């Protein structure tokens, strides 16, 4: 079966890195070969060298990009992923911010959102607090580098797997059952927006009360992790919180840990101090 040679793997993963910051080590050769083989068949190309040549052509790359990014990203996600986090959001974070914030504006960012489950889960938690958030202006922004998953998110139709950790009562309350699956209700759609964003680039600065950055840092090398943390730190407002996933290796990456200007205030939780030096390492 066709497999990337060492040289082809290096050339293609350099393009992946330059575009996304995702670092693919040699052990990922079989995985990448399998994923790209499918694209070769669809494009009727016979070798990976042909595919590499295509990626070097600016116009061809533009067209191929959504497929290429789909092949190189891992988009696993589901509603209410990590029960501990969502209990914290519902029982601690929302009541505290409602009590603390005077402006009645709430801005949440689901960074590297994949197909939207995390962003809509947050929307459900916020809606469930409607009595206390009734007059608030609440927005959840979700972003990803893959337009394919963003299209799925905007469609808002999910399967049984996506909802496997969602209590039945919430399924009934927040989704319409259709022939295609479970469709999020308009009341959730109204407060969630999806947009393309590469985590390497800056995002709205000083804006967010809460940022999710889960299950994505581990795909990056140290310089990219530091760049991403700078983006996220700048995007938070003072007193805002960052939640990283269980396998996001901040403390296992000494250079990143040293560059952090956020304060750790829980197992996976960080906050931007009220008077902070803005940004990581700068
Ligand atoms: C495993 S999913 C995480 C989804 C969700 N945050 C969760 O934890 O359930 C990782 C996502 O990161 C996205 N991603 C990878 N590199 C990125 C980058 N440089 N900028 C933005 N998103 C990126 C991928 O497209 C993928 O959808």
């Amino acid at each position: 079966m066709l497999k990337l040679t060492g040289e082809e793997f290096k050339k293609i993963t350099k393009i992946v890195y330059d575009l996304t910051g995702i670092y693919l080590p040699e052990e990922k050769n079989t995985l990448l070969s399998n994923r790209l083989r499918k694209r070769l068949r669809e494009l009727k190309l016979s070798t990976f060298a042909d595919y590499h040549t295509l990626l070097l052509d600016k116009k061809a790359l533009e067209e191929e990009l959504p497929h290429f990014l789909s092949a190189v990203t891992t988009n696993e996600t589901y509603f209410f992923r990590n029960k501990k986090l969502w209990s914290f959001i519902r029982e601690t974070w929302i009541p505290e911010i409602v009590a603390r914030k005077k402006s009645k504006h709430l801005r949440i960012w689901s960074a590297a959102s994949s197909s939207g489950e995390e962003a809509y889960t947050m929307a459900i938690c916020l809606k469930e607090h409607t009595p206390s958030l009734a007059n608030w202006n609440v927005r959840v922004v979700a972003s990803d580098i893959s337009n394919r998953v963003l299209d799925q998110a905007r469609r808002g139709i999910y399967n049984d797997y996506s909802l496997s950790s969602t209590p039945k009562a919430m399924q009934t309350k927040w989704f319409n059952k259709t022939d295609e699956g479970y469709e999020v209700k308009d009341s959730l759609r109204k407060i969630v927006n999806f947009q393309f964003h590469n985590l390497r680039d800056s995002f709205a600065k000083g804006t967010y009360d809460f940022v999710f950055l889960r299950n994505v840092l581990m795909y990056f090398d140290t310089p990219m992790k530091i760049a991403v943390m700078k983006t996220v730190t700048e995007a938070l407002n003072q007193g805002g919180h960052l939640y990283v996933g269980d396998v996001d290796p901040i403390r296992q990456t000494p250079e990143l840990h040293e560059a952090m200007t956020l304060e750790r205030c829980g197992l996976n939780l960080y906050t931007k101090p009220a008077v902070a030096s803005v940004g990581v390492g700068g």
Side-chain angles (χ1 to χ4, degrees):
M1 204 179 290
L2 202 60
K3 192 174 170 193
L4 288 155
T5 63
E7 206 46 41
E8 287 164 348
F9 179 80
K10 263 196 212 142
K11 285 181 181 164
I12 291 187
T13 52
K14 161 110 178 39
I15 298 177
V16 174
Y17 183 77
D18 290 345
L19 288 172
T20 65
I22 295 172
Y23 169 70
L24 293 169
E26 189 58 51
E27 307 88 83
K28 299 283 179 189
N29 189 327
T30 304
L31 177 79
L32 187 63
S33 297
N34 291 342
R35 288 181 176 185
L36 291 182
R37 211 178 296 118
K38 187 166 165 267
R39 269 319 279 160
L40 254 59
R41 273 198 306 275
E42 283 160 2
L43 292 165
K44 302 196 178 4
L45 297 176
S46 39
T47 66
F48 284 118
D50 293 340
Y51 189 68
H52 177 246
T53 306
L54 179 146
L55 296 177
L56 293 180
D57 179 295
K58 209 167 158 234
K59 191 147 189 328
L61 174 63
E62 215 176 284
E63 268 177 43
E64 179 57 13
L65 203 56
H67 306 286
F68 185 51
L69 291 180
S70 288
V72 302
T73 55
T74 301
N75 310 110
E76 160 79 5
T77 187
Y78 49 91
F79 285 86
F80 290 97
R81 183 178 195 178
N82 185 342
K83 286 204 164 74
K84 259 191 336 220
L85 159 65
W86 299 106
S87 304
F88 164 74
I89 294 282
R90 283 192 307 229
E91 290 153 27
T92 307
W93 188 78
I94 296 178
E96 276 183 15
I97 195 127
V98 167
R100 167 166 72 84
K101 221 180 166 194
K102 298 201 172 61
S103 71
K104 298 203 169 204
H105 273 239
L106 213 46
R107 295 289 178 266
I108 321 289
W109 178 22
S110 163
S113 63
S114 188
S115 37
E117 287 87 332
E118 181 175 83
Y120 286 127
T121 303
M122 187 58 166
I124 291 174
C125 294
L126 293 164
K127 284 283 176 189
E128 294 262 322
H129 270 264
T130 293
S132 52
L133 284 168
N135 302 315
W136 285 59
N137 179 318
V138 175
R139 290 278 171 279
V140 180
V141 173
S143 65
D144 201 278
I145 199 171
S146 162
N147 276 314
R148 182 182 60 84
V149 291
L150 289 170
D151 285 345
Q152 286 174 13
R154 290 186 188 106
R155 223 171 141 247
I157 300 178
Y158 296 95
N159 59 20
D160 288 319
Y161 174 78
S162 287
L163 284 157
S164 52
S165 292
T166 307
K168 278 274 175 284
M170 284 201 186
Q171 294 184 13
T172 314
K173 191 166 168 193
W174 299 108
F175 296 82
N176 292 317
K177 183 84 183 75
T178 72
D179 292 345
E180 290 177 274
Y182 301 84
E183 181 167 12
V184 290
K185 290 198 175 169
D186 283 349
S187 52
L188 300 184
R189 285 183 193 276
K190 272 188 192 141
I191 60 168
V192 185
N193 279 303
F194 294 96
Q195 68 184 73
F196 176 91
H197 175 253
N198 186 339
L199 280 168
R200 173 180 281 161
D201 303 328
S202 69
F203 208 62
K205 293 188 180 171
T207 303
Y208 293 98
D209 299 290
F210 200 97
V211 176
F212 295 93
L213 183 69
R214 298 194 303 150
N215 305 302
V216 65
L217 278 182
M218 71 272 206
Y219 299 116
F220 302 141
D221 67 354
T222 301
M224 178 66 179
K225 282 184 189 129
I226 292 175
V228 171
M229 201 51 70
K230 181 173 189 292
T231 299
V232 164
T233 301
E234 286 177 349
L236 282 170
N237 58 27
Q238 291 184 350
H241 287 93
L242 167 69
Y243 198 98
V244 296
D246 287 338
V247 283
D248 286 326
I250 292 183
R251 277 163 297 138
Q252 286 92 322
T253 312
E255 296 94 325
L256 176 61
H257 195 229
E258 273 166 34
M260 293 283 289
T261 55
L262 299 178
E263 276 173 13
R264 189 157 173 247
C265 55
L267 197 56
N268 305 80
L269 190 68
Y270 292 81
T271 187
K272 185 159 169 173
V275 182
S277 52
V278 177
V280 170

